[in-house]
């Protein structure tokens, strides 16, 4: 096994001790601020990503996280119902209705993203 340092790997744990200042015009500054707000990171983090050719992804909408948590609850409930059905041989109809309501709510939230 080689102890040589790996190339092309960015370490975000290194101490940043160099400062760079540069000027931009109003249009360039507007683009930087627009990208920063879409991505949801600081200007310095944005510049570091750009100069290191790191693929920049936009931040998902806030509803995404609500849907994500709802889907987590949905899958947890489905697993619990499956476990109950396997051990008892049947499950409560009310629990199935509650699960179906969660599925409907999840689909409604997904449709609202479009």
């Amino acid at each position: 096994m080689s102890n040589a340092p790996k190339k092309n790997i960015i370490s975000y744990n290194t101490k940043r001790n160099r400062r760079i200042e540069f000027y931009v015009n109003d249009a360039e500054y507007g683009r930087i601020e627009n990208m920063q707000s879409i991505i949801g990171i600081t200007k310095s983090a944005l510049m570091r990503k750009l100069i290191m050719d790191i693929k920049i992804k936009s931040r998902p909408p806030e509803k995404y996280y609500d849907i994500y948590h709802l889907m987590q609850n949905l899958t947890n409930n489905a697993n619990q119902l499956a476990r109950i059905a396997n051990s008892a041989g049947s499950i409560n109809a009310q629990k199935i209705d509650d699960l179906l309501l969660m599925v409907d709510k999840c689909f409604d939230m997904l449709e609202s993203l479009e």
Side-chain angles (χ1 to χ4, degrees):
M1 193 178 268
S2 173
N3 288 337
K6 295 180 182 178
K7 295 181 181 179
N8 298 329
I9 294 186
I10 300 168
S11 174
Y12 285 103
N13 294 328
T14 61
K15 182 178 178 182
R16 292 188 177 93
N17 58 358
R18 303 284 185 196
R19 181 181 175 100
I20 298 175
E21 294 184 41
F22 60 96
Y23 290 92
V24 294
N25 62 31
D26 290 340
E28 293 164 339
Y29 190 77
R31 286 198 61 183
I32 291 169
E33 283 203 323
N34 186 40
M35 288 177 74
Q36 176 196 5
S37 67
I38 290 171
I39 299 165
I41 59 176
T42 64
K43 287 180 186 77
S44 58
L46 173 63
M47 292 298 119
R48 283 193 296 274
K49 285 180 182 285
L50 288 172
I51 63 171
M52 299 304 287
D53 284 332
I54 297 174
K55 185 175 181 181
I56 298 173
K57 299 177 186 176
S58 63
R59 175 180 49 193
E62 291 299 320
K63 279 190 174 183
Y64 168 85
Y65 298 104
D66 295 336
I67 294 170
Y68 178 78
H69 292 299
L70 181 62
M71 290 181 85
Q72 278 183 322
N73 290 338
L74 181 67
T75 56
N76 287 342
N77 288 353
N79 285 334
Q80 289 172 358
L81 288 177
R83 213 174 297 136
I84 291 169
N86 285 333
S87 65
S90 65
I91 51 176
N92 184 337
Q94 181 61 43
K95 291 184 186 248
I96 294 174
D97 289 341
D98 293 343
L99 186 65
L100 290 174
L101 286 173
M102 286 180 75
V103 170
D104 286 340
K105 184 176 179 183
C106 190
F107 277 111
D108 290 342
M109 291 176 79
L110 284 171
E111 287 175 356
S112 73
L113 283 178
E114 296 174 1

